Amino acid sequence: MEEMKHVLLLLALLVLGAIHLQAQTPISDSTRLSKKQVLAHVEELKRLVDEKIWPTYNDPAYSMKMNYYEEGPFRMHIAQSEANAEARMECSSPEITVQAVPSVKTYEEWYAMLMHECFHGFQYKHTDFWDKMLASTPEDFIASDSLKALRQNYDWYRDMLSEENAILKKVYKATTIDEVRCILTDFYSVRDERLKAVKDRLGLDIIEFYPIIETVEGSARYIEYRLSHEQGITDIDWMTNLDSNTYYYASGLFLMLLMDKFGIPYKNGLFLKYYTLTELIKDILNCNGNKTYHIAPLAYIRR
């Protein structure tokens, strides 16, 4: 069960730096990169993310060894084969990946995908946070399949989720932090009702788990989204689609982009002081309600 909870996390997309590929280079045998080229570029990307997107991403304390495979089967996950063994990132080449995940068509997409998965390694290295995630995961519960099944199988769940997401979309029209605070109060009220309904109707308690998995996947998608944006990848609207089976990826991303928009600092505290976006946002907006945040320019904020 513990191994199951260590989560095989499918990945996300990008390219930049040392290899100097042209934008949107299709993955093919004719453009195949050597293992040395790929791993050198991975290091370049880690430094880029640390510098422009998420400080400490490339900190050695949070790094994870990577096994790179040029032959199948497809691998893209964190692996820990035995108790107390050092976890590692299992990573298939772009050429193997495109066979298993046809939607990933370019090297740019593959690299950004990989940086998404590497961010799970970054989270894993924040051991208190990761232990909290494991402890909150219900028995026999696989995050992606189980949350997807709730949305697919229960009309009442889908309706409550749609109401919640409509409120989250509304918050982007806000122009002041007071408006944001008011709208998010409604958002979390509706969410609390949804999570409580799951427990009352189905006997499944995800009240503690849901905000954590939203933080885990939403922040990894944030890395993917920001990298894709930086590299001019245009097909990224699907990442913010709240009306999909990966809604908790999108809602986590939405909340982080919202904090960027208003210049609210959060990256240094997440995974350390705060284990979820929910507790971080509620603390900042409620406990520090007198603090004035100004809407930031479109350029992304580092911290």
Side-chain angles (χ1 to χ4, degrees), residues 140-209:
D140 302 321
F141 190 86
I142 305 299
S144 58
D145 291 342
S146 299
L147 291 175
K148 182 187 298 183
L150 286 175
R151 184 179 183 275
Q152 290 176 326
N153 296 336
Y154 299 101
D155 290 343
W156 58 267
Y157 182 89
R158 189 163 53 252
D159 290 344
M160 295 182 81
L161 183 62
S162 294
E163 180 184 0
E164 177 184 316
N165 288 337
I167 297 171
L168 187 54
K169 292 174 186 177
K170 181 181 174 183
V171 79
Y172 263 78
K173 297 180 181 178
T175 57
T176 69
I177 203 66
D178 286 336
E179 288 180 81
V180 170
R181 184 184 297 111
C182 181
I183 295 170
L184 286 182
T185 297
D186 291 341
F187 169 75
Y188 283 118
S189 177
V190 172
R191 168 170 291 184
D192 289 346
E193 290 178 10
R194 173 171 63 88
L195 300 183
K196 186 175 184 299
V198 172
K199 183 176 181 180
D200 292 344
R201 298 188 188 196
L202 304 177
L204 176 62
D205 188 353
I206 58 172
I207 292 172
E208 184 180 11
F209 170 77

Coordinates of all heavy atoms in Angstrom, one line a residue, residues 140-209:
D140 N -6.7 2.3 -0.3 CA -7.2 1.8 -1.6 C -7.7 3.0 -2.5 O -8.6 2.8 -3.3 CB -8.4 0.8 -1.4 CG -7.9 -0.4 -0.6 OD1 -6.8 -0.9 -0.8 OD2 -8.7 -0.9 0.2
F141 N -7.0 4.1 -2.4 CA -7.4 5.3 -3.1 C -6.3 5.7 -4.0 O -5.2 6.0 -3.6 CB -7.8 6.4 -2.1 CG -8.4 7.6 -2.8 CD1 -9.8 7.6 -3.0 CD2 -7.7 8.7 -3.2 CE1 -10.4 8.7 -3.5 CE2 -8.3 9.8 -3.7 CZ -9.7 9.8 -3.9
I142 N -6.5 5.7 -5.3 CA -5.6 6.2 -6.3 C -6.1 7.6 -6.8 O -7.2 7.7 -7.4 CB -5.4 5.3 -7.5 CG1 -5.1 3.8 -7.0 CG2 -4.4 5.8 -8.5 CD1 -3.8 3.8 -6.3
A143 N -5.3 8.6 -6.6 CA -5.8 10.0 -6.7 C -6.5 10.2 -8.1 O -7.6 10.6 -8.2 CB -4.7 11.0 -6.5
S144 N -5.7 9.9 -9.2 CA -6.3 10.3 -10.5 C -7.5 9.5 -10.8 O -8.5 10.0 -11.3 CB -5.2 10.1 -11.6 OG -4.7 8.8 -11.6
D145 N -7.4 8.1 -10.6 CA -8.5 7.3 -11.0 C -9.8 7.5 -10.1 O -10.9 7.5 -10.6 CB -8.1 5.8 -10.9 CG -7.1 5.4 -12.0 OD1 -7.0 6.2 -13.0 OD2 -6.5 4.4 -11.9
S146 N -9.5 7.6 -8.8 CA -10.6 7.7 -7.9 C -11.3 9.1 -8.0 O -12.6 9.2 -8.0 CB -10.1 7.5 -6.5 OG -9.6 6.2 -6.3
L147 N -10.6 10.2 -8.1 CA -11.2 11.5 -8.2 C -11.9 11.6 -9.6 O -13.0 12.2 -9.7 CB -10.2 12.6 -8.0 CG -9.7 12.8 -6.6 CD1 -8.6 13.8 -6.6 CD2 -10.8 13.1 -5.6
K148 N -11.3 11.0 -10.6 CA -11.9 11.0 -11.9 C -13.3 10.2 -11.9 O -14.3 10.7 -12.4 CB -11.0 10.4 -13.0 CG -11.6 10.3 -14.4 CD -10.7 9.5 -15.3 CE -9.3 10.1 -15.4 NZ -8.5 9.3 -16.4
A149 N -13.3 9.1 -11.2 CA -14.5 8.3 -11.1 C -15.6 9.1 -10.4 O -16.8 8.9 -10.7 CB -14.2 7.0 -10.3
L150 N -15.3 9.8 -9.3 CA -16.3 10.6 -8.7 C -17.0 11.6 -9.6 O -18.2 11.7 -9.6 CB -15.7 11.4 -7.5 CG -15.3 10.6 -6.3 CD1 -14.6 11.6 -5.3 CD2 -16.5 10.0 -5.6
R151 N -16.2 12.3 -10.4 CA -16.8 13.2 -11.4 C -17.6 12.5 -12.5 O -18.6 13.0 -12.9 CB -15.6 14.0 -12.0 CG -16.1 15.1 -12.9 CD -15.0 15.9 -13.5 NE -15.4 17.0 -14.4 CZ -15.7 16.9 -15.6 NH1 -15.6 15.7 -16.2 NH2 -16.2 17.9 -16.3
Q152 N -17.1 11.4 -12.9 CA -17.8 10.6 -14.0 C -19.1 9.9 -13.5 O -20.0 9.8 -14.3 CB -16.8 9.6 -14.6 CG -15.7 10.2 -15.4 CD -14.7 9.2 -15.9 OE1 -14.5 8.2 -15.2 NE2 -14.1 9.4 -17.0
N153 N -19.1 9.5 -12.3 CA -20.1 8.5 -11.9 C -21.3 9.2 -11.1 O -22.3 8.5 -10.9 CB -19.5 7.4 -11.0 CG -18.6 6.5 -11.9 OD1 -18.7 6.5 -13.1 ND2 -17.7 5.9 -11.2
Y154 N -21.1 10.4 -10.5 CA -22.1 11.0 -9.7 C -22.5 12.3 -10.2 O -21.7 13.3 -10.1 CB -21.6 11.0 -8.2 CG -21.2 9.7 -7.7 CD1 -19.9 9.2 -7.6 CD2 -22.2 8.8 -7.2 CE1 -19.6 8.0 -7.1 CE2 -21.9 7.6 -6.7 CZ -20.6 7.2 -6.7 OH -20.3 5.9 -6.2
D155 N -23.7 12.5 -10.6 CA -24.2 13.8 -11.1 C -24.1 14.9 -10.1 O -23.8 16.0 -10.3 CB -25.7 13.6 -11.6 CG -25.8 12.8 -12.9 OD1 -24.7 12.6 -13.5 OD2 -26.9 12.4 -13.2
W156 N -24.5 14.5 -8.8 CA -24.5 15.5 -7.7 C -23.1 16.0 -7.5 O -22.9 17.2 -7.2 CB -25.1 14.9 -6.5 CG -24.4 13.7 -5.9 CD1 -24.7 12.4 -6.2 CD2 -23.3 13.7 -5.1 NE1 -23.9 11.5 -5.6 CE2 -23.0 12.3 -4.9 CE3 -22.5 14.6 -4.5 CZ2 -21.9 11.9 -4.1 CZ3 -21.4 14.2 -3.7 CH2 -21.1 12.9 -3.5
Y157 N -22.1 15.1 -7.6 CA -20.7 15.6 -7.4 C -20.3 16.5 -8.5 O -19.7 17.5 -8.3 CB -19.8 14.3 -7.4 CG -18.3 14.6 -7.1 CD1 -17.8 14.7 -5.8 CD2 -17.4 14.9 -8.1 CE1 -16.5 15.0 -5.5 CE2 -16.1 15.2 -7.9 CZ -15.6 15.2 -6.6 OH -14.3 15.5 -6.4
R158 N -20.6 16.1 -9.7 CA -20.3 16.9 -10.9 C -20.9 18.3 -10.8 O -20.3 19.3 -11.2 CB -20.7 16.2 -12.2 CG -20.1 16.9 -13.5 CD -20.2 15.9 -14.6 NE -21.5 15.3 -14.8 CZ -21.8 14.0 -14.6 NH1 -20.9 13.2 -14.1 NH2 -23.0 13.6 -14.8
D159 N -22.2 18.3 -10.4 CA -22.9 19.6 -10.3 C -22.2 20.5 -9.2 O -22.1 21.7 -9.4 CB -24.4 19.4 -9.9 CG -25.1 18.8 -11.1 OD1 -24.6 18.8 -12.2 OD2 -26.2 18.2 -10.8
M160 N -21.9 19.9 -8.1 CA -21.3 20.7 -7.0 C -19.9 21.2 -7.5 O -19.5 22.4 -7.2 CB -21.1 19.9 -5.7 CG -22.5 19.5 -5.1 SD -22.3 18.6 -3.6 CE -22.0 19.9 -2.4
L161 N -19.2 20.4 -8.2 CA -17.9 20.8 -8.7 C -18.0 21.9 -9.7 O -17.2 22.8 -9.7 CB -17.2 19.5 -9.3 CG -15.7 19.7 -9.8 CD1 -14.8 20.1 -8.7 CD2 -15.3 18.4 -10.5
S162 N -19.0 21.8 -10.6 CA -19.2 22.9 -11.6 C -19.5 24.2 -10.9 O -19.0 25.3 -11.3 CB -20.3 22.5 -12.5 OG -20.0 21.4 -13.3
E163 N -20.3 24.2 -9.8 CA -20.6 25.4 -9.1 C -19.3 26.0 -8.5 O -19.1 27.2 -8.5 CB -21.6 25.1 -8.0 CG -22.0 26.4 -7.2 CD -23.0 26.1 -6.0 OE1 -23.3 24.9 -5.9 OE2 -23.3 27.0 -5.3
E164 N -18.5 25.1 -7.9 CA -17.3 25.6 -7.3 C -16.3 26.2 -8.3 O -15.7 27.2 -8.1 CB -16.7 24.3 -6.6 CG -15.3 24.5 -6.0 CD -14.8 23.2 -5.5 OE1 -15.6 22.4 -4.9 OE2 -13.6 22.9 -5.7
N165 N -16.2 25.5 -9.4 CA -15.3 26.0 -10.5 C -15.8 27.3 -11.1 O -15.0 28.1 -11.6 CB -15.1 24.9 -11.5 CG -14.2 23.8 -11.0 OD1 -13.4 24.0 -10.0 ND2 -14.3 22.6 -11.6
A166 N -17.1 27.5 -11.2 CA -17.6 28.7 -11.7 C -17.2 29.9 -10.8 O -16.9 31.0 -11.3 CB -19.1 28.6 -11.8
I167 N -17.2 29.7 -9.6 CA -16.8 30.7 -8.6 C -15.3 31.0 -8.8 O -14.8 32.2 -8.8 CB -17.1 30.3 -7.2 CG1 -18.6 30.2 -7.0 CG2 -16.5 31.3 -6.2 CD1 -19.0 29.6 -5.6
L168 N -14.5 30.0 -9.0 CA -13.1 30.1 -9.1 C -12.8 30.9 -10.4 O -11.9 31.8 -10.4 CB -12.4 28.8 -9.2 CG -10.8 28.8 -9.2 CD1 -10.3 29.6 -8.0 CD2 -10.3 27.4 -9.1
K169 N -13.5 30.7 -11.5 CA -13.3 31.5 -12.7 C -13.7 32.9 -12.5 O -13.0 33.8 -13.0 CB -14.2 30.9 -13.8 CG -13.8 29.5 -14.3 CD -14.8 29.0 -15.3 CE -14.5 27.5 -15.7 NZ -15.5 27.0 -16.6
K170 N -14.7 33.2 -11.7 CA -15.2 34.5 -11.4 C -14.1 35.4 -10.7 O -14.0 36.6 -10.9 CB -16.4 34.4 -10.5 CG -17.0 35.8 -10.2 CD -18.2 35.5 -9.3 CE -18.8 36.8 -8.8 NZ -20.0 36.6 -7.8
V171 N -13.2 34.7 -9.9 CA -12.3 35.5 -9.2 C -11.3 36.2 -10.0 O -10.7 37.3 -9.6 CB -11.5 34.6 -8.2 CG1 -10.4 33.8 -8.8 CG2 -11.0 35.4 -7.0
Y172 N -11.1 35.8 -11.3 CA -10.1 36.5 -12.2 C -10.6 37.8 -12.7 O -9.9 38.6 -13.2 CB -9.8 35.5 -13.4 CG -8.5 34.8 -13.1 CD1 -8.5 33.7 -12.2 CD2 -7.3 35.3 -13.6 CE1 -7.3 33.1 -11.9 CE2 -6.1 34.7 -13.2 CZ -6.1 33.6 -12.4 OH -4.9 33.0 -12.1
K173 N -11.9 38.1 -12.5 CA -12.4 39.4 -12.8 C -12.3 40.4 -11.7 O -12.5 41.6 -11.9 CB -13.9 39.3 -13.2 CG -14.1 38.4 -14.4 CD -15.6 38.3 -14.8 CE -15.9 37.4 -16.0 NZ -17.3 37.3 -16.3
A174 N -11.8 39.9 -10.6 CA -11.7 40.8 -9.4 C -10.5 41.8 -9.7 O -9.5 41.5 -10.3 CB -11.4 40.0 -8.1
T175 N -10.6 43.0 -9.1 CA -9.6 44.0 -9.3 C -9.0 44.4 -8.0 O -8.0 45.2 -8.0 CB -10.2 45.3 -10.0 OG1 -11.2 45.8 -9.2 CG2 -10.6 44.9 -11.4
T176 N -9.5 44.0 -6.8 CA -8.9 44.3 -5.5 C -8.8 43.0 -4.7 O -9.5 42.1 -4.9 CB -9.8 45.3 -4.8 OG1 -11.0 44.7 -4.4 CG2 -10.1 46.5 -5.6
I177 N -8.0 43.1 -3.7 CA -7.8 41.9 -2.9 C -9.0 41.7 -2.0 O -9.3 40.5 -1.6 CB -6.5 42.1 -2.0 CG1 -6.0 40.7 -1.5 CG2 -6.7 43.0 -0.8 CD1 -5.5 39.9 -2.6
D178 N -9.8 42.7 -1.7 CA -11.0 42.6 -0.9 C -12.0 41.7 -1.8 O -12.7 40.9 -1.2 CB -11.6 43.9 -0.6 CG -10.8 44.6 0.6 OD1 -10.2 43.9 1.3 OD2 -10.9 45.8 0.7
E179 N -12.1 42.0 -3.1 CA -13.0 41.2 -3.9 C -12.5 39.8 -4.0 O -13.4 38.9 -3.9 CB -13.0 41.8 -5.3 CG -13.7 43.1 -5.5 CD -13.6 43.6 -6.9 OE1 -14.5 43.1 -7.8 OE2 -12.8 44.4 -7.3
V180 N -11.2 39.6 -4.1 CA -10.7 38.2 -4.1 C -11.0 37.5 -2.9 O -11.5 36.3 -2.9 CB -9.2 38.3 -4.3 CG1 -8.6 36.9 -4.1 CG2 -8.8 38.8 -5.7
R181 N -10.8 38.2 -1.7 CA -11.1 37.5 -0.4 C -12.6 37.1 -0.3 O -12.9 36.0 0.1 CB -10.8 38.5 0.7 CG -11.0 37.9 2.1 CD -10.7 39.0 3.2 NE -9.3 39.4 3.1 CZ -8.9 40.6 2.8 NH1 -9.8 41.5 2.4 NH2 -7.7 40.9 2.8
C182 N -13.5 38.0 -0.8 CA -14.9 37.7 -0.7 C -15.3 36.5 -1.6 O -16.0 35.6 -1.2 CB -15.7 39.0 -1.1 SG -17.5 38.8 -1.1
I183 N -14.8 36.5 -2.8 CA -15.1 35.4 -3.8 C -14.5 34.1 -3.3 O -15.2 33.1 -3.4 CB -14.6 35.8 -5.2 CG1 -15.3 37.0 -5.7 CG2 -14.8 34.6 -6.1 CD1 -14.7 37.6 -7.0
L184 N -13.3 34.1 -2.8 CA -12.7 32.9 -2.3 C -13.4 32.3 -1.1 O -13.4 31.1 -0.8 CB -11.2 33.1 -2.1 CG -10.3 33.2 -3.4 CD1 -8.9 33.3 -3.0 CD2 -10.5 32.0 -4.3
T185 N -13.9 33.2 -0.3 CA -14.7 32.8 0.9 C -15.9 31.9 0.4 O -16.2 30.8 0.9 CB -15.2 33.9 1.7 OG1 -14.1 34.7 2.2 CG2 -16.1 33.5 2.9
D186 N -16.6 32.4 -0.7 CA -17.7 31.6 -1.2 C -17.1 30.3 -1.9 O -17.8 29.2 -1.7 CB -18.4 32.4 -2.3 CG -19.2 33.6 -1.8 OD1 -19.5 33.6 -0.6 OD2 -19.5 34.5 -2.5
F187 N -16.0 30.4 -2.5 CA -15.4 29.2 -3.2 C -15.1 28.1 -2.2 O -15.5 26.9 -2.4 CB -14.1 29.6 -3.9 CG -13.2 28.5 -4.4 CD1 -13.6 27.8 -5.5 CD2 -12.1 28.2 -3.7 CE1 -12.8 26.8 -5.9 CE2 -11.3 27.2 -4.1 CZ -11.6 26.4 -5.3
Y188 N -14.5 28.5 -1.1 CA -14.1 27.4 -0.1 C -15.4 26.9 0.7 O -15.4 25.8 1.1 CB -13.1 28.0 0.9 CG -11.7 28.0 0.3 CD1 -11.0 29.2 0.1 CD2 -11.1 26.8 -0.2 CE1 -9.7 29.1 -0.5 CE2 -9.8 26.8 -0.7 CZ -9.1 28.0 -0.9 OH -7.9 27.9 -1.5
S189 N -16.4 27.8 0.8 CA -17.6 27.3 1.4 C -18.3 26.2 0.6 O -18.7 25.2 1.1 CB -18.6 28.5 1.6 OG -19.8 28.1 2.1
V190 N -18.3 26.4 -0.7 CA -18.9 25.5 -1.7 C -18.1 24.2 -1.7 O -18.6 23.1 -1.7 CB -19.1 26.1 -3.1 CG1 -19.5 25.0 -4.1 CG2 -20.1 27.2 -3.0
R191 N -16.8 24.4 -1.7 CA -15.9 23.2 -1.7 C -16.1 22.4 -0.4 O -16.1 21.1 -0.5 CB -14.4 23.6 -1.8 CG -13.4 22.5 -1.5 CD -12.0 22.8 -1.8 NE -11.8 23.0 -3.2 CZ -10.6 23.2 -3.8 NH1 -9.5 23.3 -3.0 NH2 -10.5 23.3 -5.1
D192 N -16.1 23.0 0.7 CA -16.3 22.3 2.0 C -17.6 21.4 1.9 O -17.6 20.3 2.4 CB -16.4 23.2 3.2 CG -15.0 23.9 3.5 OD1 -14.0 23.4 3.0 OD2 -15.0 24.9 4.2
E193 N -18.7 22.0 1.3 CA -19.9 21.3 1.1 C -19.7 20.0 0.3 O -20.3 19.0 0.5 CB -21.0 22.2 0.5 CG -21.5 23.3 1.5 CD -22.5 24.1 0.8 OE1 -23.0 23.8 -0.3 OE2 -22.9 25.2 1.4
R194 N -19.0 20.2 -0.8 CA -18.7 19.1 -1.7 C -17.9 17.9 -1.0 O -18.3 16.8 -1.1 CB -17.9 19.5 -3.0 CG -17.5 18.4 -3.9 CD -16.9 18.9 -5.2 NE -15.7 19.7 -5.1 CZ -14.5 19.2 -5.0 NH1 -14.3 17.9 -5.1 NH2 -13.5 20.1 -4.9
L195 N -16.9 18.3 -0.3 CA -16.1 17.3 0.3 C -16.8 16.6 1.4 O -16.7 15.4 1.7 CB -14.8 17.9 0.8 CG -13.8 18.5 -0.2 CD1 -12.6 19.1 0.4 CD2 -13.5 17.6 -1.3
K196 N -17.7 17.3 2.1 CA -18.5 16.8 3.2 C -19.5 15.8 2.6 O -19.8 14.8 3.2 CB -19.1 17.9 4.0 CG -19.9 17.4 5.2 CD -20.4 18.5 6.1 CE -21.1 18.0 7.3 NZ -22.3 17.2 7.0
A197 N -20.1 16.2 1.4 CA -21.1 15.4 0.8 C -20.5 14.0 0.4 O -21.2 13.0 0.5 CB -21.7 16.1 -0.4
V198 N -19.2 14.0 -0.1 CA -18.6 12.8 -0.4 C -18.5 11.8 0.8 O -18.7 10.6 0.7 CB -17.2 13.0 -1.0 CG1 -16.4 11.7 -1.2 CG2 -17.2 13.8 -2.3
K199 N -18.1 12.4 1.9 CA -18.0 11.6 3.2 C -19.4 11.1 3.6 O -19.6 10.0 4.0 CB -17.4 12.5 4.3 CG -17.2 11.7 5.6 CD -16.5 12.6 6.6 CE -16.2 11.8 7.9 NZ -15.5 12.6 8.9
D200 N -20.4 12.0 3.6 CA -21.8 11.7 4.1 C -22.4 10.7 3.2 O -23.1 9.7 3.6 CB -22.6 12.9 4.2 CG -22.2 13.9 5.3 OD1 -21.4 13.4 6.2 OD2 -22.6 15.0 5.3
R201 N -22.3 10.8 1.8 CA -23.0 10.0 0.9 C -22.3 8.7 0.5 O -22.9 7.7 0.3 CB -23.3 10.8 -0.4 CG -24.2 12.0 -0.2 CD -24.6 12.6 -1.5 NE -25.3 13.9 -1.4 CZ -25.9 14.5 -2.4 NH1 -26.1 13.9 -3.5 NH2 -26.5 15.7 -2.2
L202 N -21.0 8.8 0.5 CA -20.2 7.6 0.0 C -19.3 7.0 1.1 O -18.7 5.9 0.9 CB -19.3 8.0 -1.2 CG -20.1 8.7 -2.4 CD1 -19.1 9.1 -3.4 CD2 -21.1 7.7 -2.9
G203 N -19.2 7.6 2.2 CA -18.4 7.1 3.3 C -16.9 7.2 3.0 O -16.1 6.6 3.6
L204 N -16.6 8.1 2.1 CA -15.2 8.3 1.7 C -14.7 9.7 2.2 O -15.2 10.7 1.8 CB -15.0 8.3 0.1 CG -13.7 8.6 -0.5 CD1 -12.7 7.5 0.0 CD2 -13.8 8.6 -2.0
D205 N -13.7 9.7 3.1 CA -13.2 10.9 3.7 C -12.0 11.4 2.9 O -10.9 10.9 3.0 CB -12.9 10.7 5.1 CG -12.6 12.0 5.9 OD1 -12.5 13.0 5.2 OD2 -12.4 11.9 7.1
I206 N -12.3 12.5 2.1 CA -11.2 13.1 1.4 C -11.0 14.6 1.8 O -10.4 15.4 1.1 CB -11.4 13.0 -0.2 CG1 -12.7 13.7 -0.6 CG2 -11.3 11.6 -0.6 CD1 -12.9 13.8 -2.1
I207 N -11.6 14.9 2.9 CA -11.6 16.3 3.4 C -10.2 16.8 3.6 O -9.8 17.9 3.2 CB -12.4 16.4 4.7 CG1 -13.9 16.2 4.3 CG2 -12.2 17.8 5.3 CD1 -14.8 16.1 5.6
E208 N -9.3 16.0 4.2 CA -7.9 16.4 4.4 C -7.1 16.1 3.1 O -6.2 16.9 2.8 CB -7.3 15.6 5.6 CG -5.9 16.0 5.9 CD -5.3 15.3 7.1 OE1 -5.9 14.3 7.5 OE2 -4.2 15.7 7.6
F209 N -7.4 15.1 2.4 CA -6.6 14.7 1.3 C -6.7 15.6 0.1 O -5.7 15.9 -0.6 CB -7.0 13.2 0.8 CG -6.4 12.8 -0.5 CD1 -5.1 12.4 -0.6 CD2 -7.2 12.8 -1.6 CE1 -4.5 12.0 -1.8 CE2 -6.6 12.4 -2.8 CZ -5.3 12.0 -2.9

